[in-house]
Amino acid sequence: MSDWLLVVLCAATGAYCLVRRVRMRRGGALREGREAGGEAVMAFGMAAMGVPAAVLPPPAWMWVVYAAVFGAASVRAAWAARQGRGHLHHLVGSLAMVYMAVPLPGAGAAGHAGHAGHAGAGCPW
């Protein structure tokens, strides 16, 4: 149940950021609109990656798509930060999403489940 609540929360956050982006772009605040768009991409990505694999198993190629999308977001965030138009937390966040999207070598589509082992090491939840 908590998995689905997290998916809903991330999707709602993405929708809010998308609405914020549209409003800011219409109001002429291009930089803030660009930042809100980056946050929307991250939120929707977290929602998609949060769908419990036991209920709706993703196709084997889906992790490649996630890695490509967030890899492109990383390049864009690095370029924007270099030019002083972006925030470094977008770069760090998108690189973290790439890390989570890349399955463990040789594990196939189930490789993503290997990341869950990290949670028990130091996280209290």
Side-chain angles (χ1 to χ4, degrees):
M1 179 70 172
S2 63
D3 292 341
W4 287 110
L5 292 175
L6 185 61
V7 169
V8 170
L9 178 66
C10 290
T13 301
Y16 169 75
C17 291
L18 201 56
V19 168
R20 218 175 99 216
R21 175 186 165 85
V22 170
R23 286 184 181 167
M24 288 181 177
R25 302 279 289 194
R26 286 184 185 164
L30 298 178
R31 180 177 177 179
E32 290 83 5
R34 213 175 3 251
E35 291 173 4
E39 291 167 0
V41 168
M42 292 304 222
F44 284 131
M46 287 188 294
M49 292 174 96
V51 173
V55 177
L56 185 64
W61 52 264
M62 194 59 159
W63 306 114
V64 175
V65 172
Y66 288 147
V69 167
F70 291 111
S74 297
V75 170
R76 185 176 183 276
W79 186 257
R82 182 178 181 270
Q83 294 180 337
R85 296 183 297 118
H87 296 284
L88 287 178
H89 73 272
H90 289 167
L91 175 60
V92 172
S94 58
L95 287 173
M97 294 293 278
V98 170
Y99 171 76
M100 291 303 295
V102 177
L104 297 174
H112 186 63
H115 291 297
H118 299 303
C123 296
W125 58 91

